[in-house]
Amino acid sequence: MTENDLTREEPRVLVAVMNNHRDFRIAGEEGWYRVPYERAPSRLGADFLALYQTKAFGEERWAVNYYAPIRRYHIVSRRSLLPDEPDHPRADHLYYKIEIGALHRLPRPIPSRRLRRITFIPTTLDRLLRAQEINDLWFGDAVEEKLWQAFKENGISAERYYPLKEEEEAYQIDFALFCKDGRIAVILEGQTSVDNVSVVREQPRIDDYDLAARGWTVLRFPGLELIESLPSCLDRIQGAVAKQRGLSSEQWG
């Protein structure tokens, strides 16, 4: 996805993690949210902030329930944000202070079907308001979107951009399928061309051997193959799922 994919004509949303009640109170009553400067996503700028709530929030846990308009951004020290914690080890570290308007409850929660690590998700307001689950929020290139739509139409439950870490290198699996007898990594690769627009996939590559050692079955598809032969690609994926006794309904990945 490029910056041009999220145009100014379509309001942009940054989904961020909310993992404790104090920070939720600050967002609601004081109107701001903080992001460590060194860990900020590349696409931090947005028109709205949405909050993915973790296990601390009881019945609202593991879902996006609230969003708010973003007013402005500042870069400040943690000490100035939280002056009652002057001895905190990160007191002098820099943070983005995101000032927000009133929190609004979404028409319906956007749950995470599988418990997984989520940090930031750049999306659009239209996707936020239409999403039925977390994976609907991610905004991929046209090939990814085509496969995601095919998964939904065929009842194939998948996790998009599933994170993995190998030593110091971080990776993402384009689509992770969790089965009763194993896990399937569907990885799109190579150069694709959709509607005369070329897309080169540049994410770090993890070896099939390393994935297999972790218990993954790896299915790699060149983007052009998915464009030209989606039904046969889907048959191959469904065959791999059947060999592992179907998809699992367990929450943990």
Side-chain angles (χ1 to χ4, degrees):
M1 180 176 62
T2 67
E3 288 291 343
N4 291 332
D5 293 320
L6 295 176
T7 64
R8 295 303 299 176
E9 287 72 27
E10 188 168 7
R12 298 174 296 174
V13 177
L14 178 67
V15 180
V17 172
M18 177 60 69
N19 58 21
N20 65 79
H21 287 275
R22 183 196 65 169
D23 287 349
F24 186 74
R25 179 193 60 77
I26 288 174
E29 297 179 7
E30 300 181 26
W32 58 268
Y33 177 88
R34 71 183 186 276
V35 176
Y37 183 84
E38 69 273 12
R39 298 209 304 268
S42 58
R43 287 184 289 272
L44 182 68
D47 304 294
F48 293 87
L49 179 73
L51 303 175
Y52 174 77
Q53 294 170 266
T54 60
K55 64 180 180 180
F57 290 91
E59 293 183 357
E60 292 186 323
R61 67 189 183 277
W62 302 317
V64 180
N65 296 283
Y66 300 92
Y67 72 108
I70 292 176
R71 304 301 190 200
R72 60 187 63 85
Y73 293 81
H74 302 282
I75 298 176
V76 298
S77 69
R78 191 182 194 281
R79 185 187 305 276
S80 65
L81 286 172
L82 300 168
D84 58 333
E85 298 181 3
D87 297 324
H88 193 280
R90 294 192 298 276
D92 294 318
H93 288 205
L94 293 179
Y95 283 73
Y96 285 100
K97 179 183 181 182
I98 305 177
E99 294 186 10
I100 60 175
L103 289 174
H104 300 280
R105 183 182 286 275
L106 286 166
R108 60 179 178 271
I110 305 172
S112 178
R113 295 178 309 187
R114 183 169 294 274
L115 306 186
R116 53 175 286 186
R117 185 173 184 268
I118 293 173
T119 50
F120 300 100
I121 305 174
T123 188
T124 66
L125 185 60
D126 179 62
R127 282 177 178 255
L128 183 76
L129 296 177
R130 290 190 297 109
Q132 296 180 333
E133 54 112 339
I134 283 289
N135 289 286
D136 290 325
L137 294 174
W138 269 285
F139 195 108
D141 63 38
V143 178
E144 294 170 0
E145 293 300 311
K146 186 174 183 178
L147 183 56
W148 174 241
Q149 188 60 37
F151 279 164
K152 294 179 68 175
E153 291 172 356
N154 287 273
I156 299 175
S157 176
E159 291 294 315
R160 303 184 71 173
Y161 304 123
Y162 191 78
L164 286 179
K165 193 166 185 180
E166 180 72 20
E167 295 180 350
E168 297 302 316
E169 190 73 72
Y171 301 91
Q172 286 183 330
I173 294 174
D174 293 321
F175 296 94
L177 282 64
F178 294 86
C179 303
K180 294 175 182 176
D181 284 348
R183 296 172 291 183
I184 299 171
V186 177
I187 299 174
L188 313 186
E189 57 185 7
Q191 183 166 340
T192 66
S193 179
V194 181
D195 298 330
N196 296 319
V197 176
S198 292
V199 177
V200 179
R201 313 185 67 80
E202 297 179 341
Q203 69 180 39
R205 179 187 175 101
I206 185 169
D207 291 337
D208 291 3
Y209 176 83
D210 292 328
L211 283 169
R214 292 177 174 220
W216 292 87
T217 296
V218 183
L219 300 178
R220 293 186 183 270
F221 295 95
L224 289 176
E225 182 181 353
L226 275 168
I227 295 170
E228 297 171 355
S229 306
L230 179 60
S232 63
C233 294
L234 206 58
D235 286 344
R236 185 178 163 198
I237 294 168
Q238 290 174 316
V241 170
K243 286 182 179 179
Q244 298 193 16
R245 295 199 307 120
L247 295 168
S248 170
S249 60
E250 293 182 7
Q251 284 190 302
W252 290 99

